[in-house]
Amino acid sequence: MLKGRHLIDPEDFSLEELDSLFALADSIIKDEDSFRNLCNGKILATLFYEPSTRTRFSFEAAMLRLGGQVVGFSEPGSSSVMKGESIPDTIRTVGSYVDIIAMRHPKEGAPKYASYYSPVPIINAGDGGHQHPTQTLTDLLTIKEVKGNFSNLTIGLCGDLKFGRTVHSLIKAMSRYENIKFVLISPNELRIPKYIKTEILDGKAIDYAEVERLEEVIDSLDILYMTRVQKERFFNEADYIRLKDSYILDREKLKLAKKDLSILHPLPRVNEISYEVDEDPRACYFDQLKYGMYIRMALISKLLGVM
Ligand code: CP
């Protein structure tokens, strides 16, 4: 039962609860018209303290497509946050007006903190370099649609594995399934945080390897999850400039890959996937962003208890 729950961490939901979300998303994809009035009279607030295109628009489009309405801000400068209002007071206020809140914040743990004060469900729409659970739901739905299941996969995660919160959430989520191997491809400075290794990979005895060169391992991958280097999380611009083009996936590198490789990317992309790759049938990232809206439609419906 997901009614009234918060979604803060990818592991907040059981595998059975995730299956029920994917099944609902699949039904919506197949017959969206049947779900048009599901959220009539309900209101979603999108509180985005950090920039976003996909997450905010897909949440808002999801609610509107379900017949609900949307309020919120896309940057906190237009709200009383600028006058110094705290997260608890903002959440108590907004929670008195709406039925559900999606919140993105640069500080790790901010949505969890908000959930302690919220009278309505809080959805973490990304907290600093920490977690991005609805991107993970998007990634999982994409994997289910393109691979048919979540087991027996070798998943390459490439790019900024230090600051890339989508990667942290995806490792957490996929490590719950059978016979998953991760290949972690990054420059030395952008390796996966130690806590992910000790708590999840070593903690659950998951098979993984860390390498620096994509060309060395691309032929072994079933899924290649590319990420951009996260400029906004660097303290030093010179470091960002040095590392930003560490990986550029192009046609030449793809010649080494499996014919049934699936290329995912949470987007936005900067330089890490050449535009020529968009034409390759293995490129799934534009389907992936559409699945993001459908899984958010399913999530909103379940948390509001209308499905
Ligand atoms: N994938 C993702 O979170 O994109 P946005 O930052 O545009 O929301």
Side-chain angles (χ1 to χ4, degrees), residues 16-282:
E16 292 73 26
E17 288 167 339
L18 289 178
D19 281 344
S20 76
L21 271 177
F22 300 136
L24 178 55
D26 201 49
S27 303
I28 296 171
I29 291 168
K30 288 189 174 121
D31 182 17
E32 196 183 325
D33 276 348
S34 302
F35 298 87
R36 288 246 178 260
N37 298 313
L38 206 57
C39 287
N40 278 356
K42 303 286 187 191
I43 304 175
L44 163 77
T46 50
L47 307 185
F48 275 62
Y49 294 74
E50 262 197 343
S52 166
T53 299
R54 273 145 296 275
T55 311
R56 187 170 67 85
F57 279 84
S58 64
F59 263 117
E60 295 185 355
M63 190 51 153
L64 295 171
R65 282 169 182 261
L66 290 167
Q69 291 172 291
V70 178
V71 295
F73 55 74
S74 56
E75 48 93 22
S78 59
S79 76
S80 286
V81 171
M82 287 310 280
K83 300 173 198 160
E85 189 163 53
S86 66
I87 286 177
D89 285 358
T90 301
I91 291 297
R92 281 190 187 108
T93 305
V94 176
S96 303
Y97 304 146
V98 307
D99 302 285
I100 188 164
I101 296 172
M103 177 186 185
R104 171 172 285 190
H105 200 284
K107 280 206 185 121
E108 299 186 2
K112 186 175 178 73
Y113 181 51
S115 71
Y116 299 146
Y117 299 93
S118 180
V120 299
I122 294 276
I123 303 170
N124 178 3
D127 59 329
H130 190 218
Q131 302 287 349
H132 192 348
T134 62
Q135 181 64 48
T136 306
L137 295 180
T138 301
D139 300 339
L140 292 180
L141 180 61
T142 308
I143 291 170
K144 189 168 170 50
E145 297 286 333
V146 299
K147 294 294 185 205
N149 67 71
F150 296 119
S151 303
N152 307 315
L153 295 170
T154 299
I155 303 173
L157 300 153
C158 180
D160 182 350
L161 308 189
K162 178 178 180 184
F163 296 117
R165 59 191 172 199
T166 63
V167 167
H168 306 163
S169 291
L170 187 59
I171 290 176
K172 247 185 160 181
M174 286 304 294
S175 65
R176 300 166 88 187
Y177 294 98
E178 293 291 313
N179 195 23
I180 295 298
K181 177 175 180 182
F182 293 106
V183 183
L184 308 172
I185 309 148
S186 74
N188 194 37
E189 294 96 321
L190 298 178
R191 284 165 77 157
I192 204 85
K194 208 168 171 189
Y195 85 92
I196 300 274
K197 281 197 253 182
T198 51
E199 289 175 24
I200 302 165
L201 297 171
D202 295 333
K204 294 185 175 181
I206 310 278
D207 192 0
Y208 74 96
E210 286 187 287
V211 299
E212 288 199 31
R213 293 193 68 238
L214 175 58
E215 295 89 326
E216 270 175 32
V217 291
I218 195 167
D219 64 341
S220 68
L221 306 178
D222 301 305
I223 292 171
L224 172 57
Y225 192 91
M226 295 296 295
T227 63
R228 78 187 161 94
V229 175
Q230 305 251 318
K231 182 179 186 183
E232 65 275 30
R233 317 242 179 257
F234 275 75
F235 290 112
N236 178 339
E237 194 174 359
D239 285 344
Y240 169 71
I241 289 169
R242 185 167 51 80
L243 294 168
K244 72 184 174 66
D245 291 331
S246 297
Y247 302 99
I248 300 178
L249 183 66
D250 57 17
R251 261 193 212 131
E252 218 34 52
K253 289 196 188 80
L254 274 178
K255 283 183 185 161
L256 304 170
K258 288 183 184 173
K259 293 275 176 278
D260 64 348
L261 173 74
S262 301
I263 306 162
L264 275 64
H265 191 312
L267 304 180
R269 99 174 111 182
V270 185
N271 283 332
E272 59 281 352
I273 300 182
S274 296
Y275 283 87
E276 65 191 21
V277 173
D278 297 354
E279 309 308 320
D280 192 296
R282 292 170 285 188

